[in-house]
Amino acid sequence: MSFELPPLPYAQDALEPHISRQTLEYHHGKHHKAYVDNLNKLVVGTAYEHEESLETIIQKTAQNEKEVGIFNNAAQVWNHSFFWHSMKPRGGGRPSGTMLRRLEQDFGSYEAFAELFQKEGLAQFGSGWVWLVESAGKLAVVRTANAANPSIKGQKPLLTCDVWEHAYYLDYQNRRPDFLKVFLENLADWDFAEKNLAAA
């Protein structure tokens, strides 16, 4: 059993002008692929060599310092795949339906959520992620460092934005605030988030 790089859910130029084809070529084709390749090498000869579920590997290796390499690469494969699906062409803006009602219920307003999401994305020092999750029946915004994933704390990921510099540097240089704003206003796939919310 070996893991494969999943294809993008859209063409490499589909998110332009907000994310360039060049960024996706490097981010998906090189960074994401490297995590897949590294994971396949690291699991050889381990209990995970024939494990088909990234989620299982992530949960089993999350607290084991001896398996940190496997965890980091498995989680980064999963996180990146989730990130690609968290965006779509002509996405972003205020959601509707159940998603909007839940954001208003748990944050007070969509605007309050958006402000918090951007604030947490900026507060993540160095590399990491900012997530919209469901936790204990309520929506919350959390940030994780490096490869960490909210699922290891029992939180259900709904949407994420990658705040590692390689996610935005070719297009935005060091302007992470601009990237987070564009993500929410032009890219976020609220249909994907709502499907995750509805999933058991």
Side-chain angles (χ1 to χ4, degrees), residues 182-196:
V182 165
F183 174 83
L184 287 176
E185 293 184 354
N186 304 101
L187 296 169
D189 187 343
W190 289 114
D191 294 329
F192 175 69
E194 188 160 328
K195 286 177 185 175
N196 291 325

Side-chain angles (χ1 to χ4, degrees), residues 96-196:
S96 58
T98 300
M99 197 72 242
L100 178 59
R101 289 195 297 274
R102 288 295 303 274
L103 290 173
E104 291 176 337
Q105 173 184 311
D106 294 335
F107 296 100
S109 67
Y110 169 76
E111 291 74 18
F113 153 75
E115 182 178 348
L116 180 61
F117 191 88
Q118 292 174 85
K119 179 181 176 181
E120 289 298 307
L122 290 174
Q124 175 53 44
F125 180 77
S127 301
W129 306 79
V130 58
W131 308 78
L132 172 65
V133 302
E134 186 178 41
S135 180
K138 292 190 67 175
L139 300 190
V141 171
V142 299
R143 51 189 157 97
T144 60
N146 300 317
N149 181 296
S151 67
I152 64 177
K153 295 183 178 180
Q155 300 166 331
K156 181 197 289 186
L158 306 179
L159 194 80
T160 194
C161 184
D162 186 346
V163 296
W164 289 59
E165 275 198 341
H166 64 241
Y168 58 86
Y169 201 84
L170 291 178
D171 301 321
Y172 298 90
Q173 288 77 52
N174 64 341
R175 304 191 311 274
R176 187 189 289 185
D178 292 351
F179 175 61
L180 285 162
K181 188 170 186 286
V182 165
F183 174 83
L184 287 176
E185 293 184 354
N186 304 101
L187 296 169
D189 187 343
W190 289 114
D191 294 329
F192 175 69
E194 188 160 328
K195 286 177 185 175
N196 291 325

Side-chain angles (χ1 to χ4, degrees), residues 12-166:
Q12 287 184 327
D13 61 356
L15 302 183
E16 290 185 336
H18 310 297
I19 295 180
S20 66
R21 179 188 186 97
Q22 185 183 25
T23 288
L24 286 185
E25 285 174 347
Y26 277 92
H27 196 174
H28 175 260
K30 296 190 182 298
H31 287 278
H32 194 177
K33 184 177 186 300
Y35 293 125
V36 174
D37 293 343
N38 288 338
L39 178 62
N40 285 326
K41 293 174 186 174
L42 289 168
V43 297
V44 173
T46 73
Y48 311 108
E49 186 169 5
H50 302 291
E51 175 57 60
E52 298 181 16
S53 168
L54 281 172
E55 291 86 353
T56 298
I57 294 176
I58 290 167
Q59 294 298 327
K60 288 186 175 181
T61 60
Q63 306 303 327
N64 189 335
E65 290 184 6
K66 294 180 180 179
E67 297 175 326
V68 66
I70 294 175
F71 170 78
N72 283 339
N73 284 279
Q76 284 291 58
V77 172
W78 194 96
N79 290 356
H80 278 84
S81 298
F82 193 83
F83 174 52
W84 307 135
H85 287 277
S86 291
M87 302 182 290
K88 68 178 181 180
R90 298 173 298 281
R94 180 191 296 266
S96 58
T98 300
M99 197 72 242
L100 178 59
R101 289 195 297 274
R102 288 295 303 274
L103 290 173
E104 291 176 337
Q105 173 184 311
D106 294 335
F107 296 100
S109 67
Y110 169 76
E111 291 74 18
F113 153 75
E115 182 178 348
L116 180 61
F117 191 88
Q118 292 174 85
K119 179 181 176 181
E120 289 298 307
L122 290 174
Q124 175 53 44
F125 180 77
S127 301
W129 306 79
V130 58
W131 308 78
L132 172 65
V133 302
E134 186 178 41
S135 180
K138 292 190 67 175
L139 300 190
V141 171
V142 299
R143 51 189 157 97
T144 60
N146 300 317
N149 181 296
S151 67
I152 64 177
K153 295 183 178 180
Q155 300 166 331
K156 181 197 289 186
L158 306 179
L159 194 80
T160 194
C161 184
D162 186 346
V163 296
W164 289 59
E165 275 198 341
H166 64 241

